[in-house]
Amino acid sequence: MAVRAVRGAVQLDRDEAGHMDERVSELLTAVLERNSLTADDLISVWFTATPDLHSDFPAAAARKLGIVDVPLICAQELDIEGAMPRVVRILAHIESDLPRADIAHVYLGAAGALRKDIAQ
């Protein structure tokens, strides 16, 4: 199996822990489903959040989904003027037989505007 990377992002409506949990869970579930993956296929996941999100760690949603033995890390996205607010991004390293060109990167809702070239 090859090591691949899959990207994704979601914009939150508000900075509340429960809402972050819902939206990040939705994003992770979509990444797994669209790439025919299970938690066992995950090597590691990086989460970034824009500086206006501070109610919870995005990785907490992964743990609630049962992703418990995969290294996760959270970081803050650069604070760029004019950037889309309230966004959580992921970069997941996976084991997959999919060719790189067939990896489904997932940008939900308004976050699709971030990467129109690869959003599916």
Side-chain angles (χ1 to χ4, degrees):
M1 276 208 204
V3 173
R4 300 284 184 225
V6 59
R7 292 282 319 269
V10 64
Q11 185 181 41
L12 280 62
D13 297 324
R14 58 195 176 280
D15 183 25
E16 294 175 1
H19 181 60
M20 180 179 292
D21 182 54
E22 290 172 14
R23 296 307 311 263
V24 173
S25 293
E26 179 184 7
L27 176 61
L28 288 169
T29 299
V31 165
L32 293 173
E33 288 177 355
R34 293 182 193 181
N35 289 287
S36 300
L37 301 169
T38 68
D40 288 338
D41 299 315
L42 295 171
I43 297 169
S44 65
V45 184
W46 282 80
F47 296 85
T48 65
T50 51
D52 51 0
L53 294 175
H54 45 75
S55 62
D56 202 358
F57 293 99
R63 298 293 185 222
K64 290 177 185 173
L65 284 176
I67 301 172
V68 295
D69 61 350
V70 175
L72 308 174
I73 193 165
C74 297
Q76 188 174 79
E77 193 71 35
L78 294 173
D79 190 11
I80 304 298
E81 186 174 328
M84 184 179 288
R86 300 178 316 281
V87 175
V88 173
R89 292 173 173 86
I90 66 165
L91 173 62
H93 299 98
I94 62 171
E95 291 180 316
S96 176
D97 288 326
L98 288 173
R100 185 176 292 151
D102 291 344
I103 297 293
H105 303 282
V106 179
Y107 290 78
L108 299 178
L114 295 171
R115 289 298 307 262
K116 291 179 183 175
D117 56 327
I118 63 171
Q120 298 180 7

